[in-house]
Amino acid sequence: MDPLDRIDEIIELVQESRSVPMSRTNFMFDRAEMIERLDELRSELPSELRKAAAVLDERDRIIDAGRREADRIVSEGEAEHARLVSVNEITVSSEHEGARIIAEARTEAQRLREEVDDYVDTALANFEQFLTRALASIERGRDKMHALREIGTFQGEDSERPLPF
């Protein structure tokens, strides 16, 4: 389950908890169930972090592949340029053609680099949005939990005893 869904479940559990008699703000909930849900959330977050690391690794592989391809294209262009220059009858023509091939190779290499950068930027932006939503949801949940704690809703085992009146 998605960690954001897990956080929403916990918030819903808090919202649907029974109110303490004669109180509008205090509530009761099953501590074991809350701890279980929070443990599940904790166990899911590392998988999301591993996914982020995988995206970064993929980005590095794509960038490396793009660079290797660009280097190969440039090397081929330079080799073709050198071959054409070595032919005496068409020296001038071959120099121009070699320069054109190198320029095309560099243009293609730049295009590939930009394409890889765009892909990686998009993937990282998507992941950033996911993390931003997750962090905001976690922060809201923590703020709600702290607010409830401050008004005395987390009374532990004692809250399950009947009131003394």
Side-chain angles (χ1 to χ4, degrees), residues 3-49:
L4 293 176
D5 293 336
R6 187 74 63 197
I7 290 169
D8 290 339
E9 262 186 21
I10 293 169
I11 290 171
E12 185 178 325
L13 177 67
V14 170
Q15 289 172 339
E16 293 177 356
S17 296
R18 282 187 346 175
S19 293
V20 172
M22 301 176 74
S23 172
R24 288 184 168 175
T25 58
N26 296 338
F27 66 95
M28 293 185 285
F29 62 91
D30 183 355
R31 179 179 290 182
E33 183 179 354
M34 180 65 77
I35 290 172
E36 178 183 338
R37 300 248 176 126
L38 290 171
D39 282 341
E40 289 172 356
L41 175 62
R42 182 185 315 152
S43 69
E44 289 172 1
L45 284 177
S47 69
E48 295 301 326
L49 295 176

Side-chain angles (χ1 to χ4, degrees), residues 8-134:
D8 290 339
E9 262 186 21
I10 293 169
I11 290 171
E12 185 178 325
L13 177 67
V14 170
Q15 289 172 339
E16 293 177 356
S17 296
R18 282 187 346 175
S19 293
V20 172
M22 301 176 74
S23 172
R24 288 184 168 175
T25 58
N26 296 338
F27 66 95
M28 293 185 285
F29 62 91
D30 183 355
R31 179 179 290 182
E33 183 179 354
M34 180 65 77
I35 290 172
E36 178 183 338
R37 300 248 176 126
L38 290 171
D39 282 341
E40 289 172 356
L41 175 62
R42 182 185 315 152
S43 69
E44 289 172 1
L45 284 177
S47 69
E48 295 301 326
L49 295 176
R50 281 191 293 277
K51 289 178 186 175
V55 167
L56 292 175
D57 289 344
E58 170 127 3
R59 177 202 66 176
D60 291 342
R61 283 193 301 274
I62 290 170
I63 288 172
D64 289 343
R67 285 185 180 142
R68 283 192 304 274
E69 180 67 13
D71 290 343
R72 182 190 64 77
I73 291 170
V74 169
S75 293
E76 285 178 4
E78 289 171 348
E80 182 67 12
H81 178 260
R83 185 187 69 75
L84 293 174
V85 169
S86 69
V87 178
N88 289 338
E89 296 95 39
I90 55 171
T91 300
V92 172
S93 167
S94 64
E95 285 178 356
H96 290 297
E97 183 64 16
R100 184 192 63 76
I101 291 171
I102 289 173
E104 279 182 16
R106 289 191 174 131
T107 301
E108 179 67 14
Q110 183 61 34
R111 186 190 65 76
L112 288 173
R113 283 186 187 117
E114 290 171 2
E115 204 173 281
V116 166
D117 286 347
D118 288 345
Y119 170 80
V120 169
D121 185 52
T122 300
L124 290 175
N126 289 339
F127 186 67
E128 179 183 28
Q129 283 181 333
F130 168 78
L131 286 180
T132 301
R133 288 192 314 266

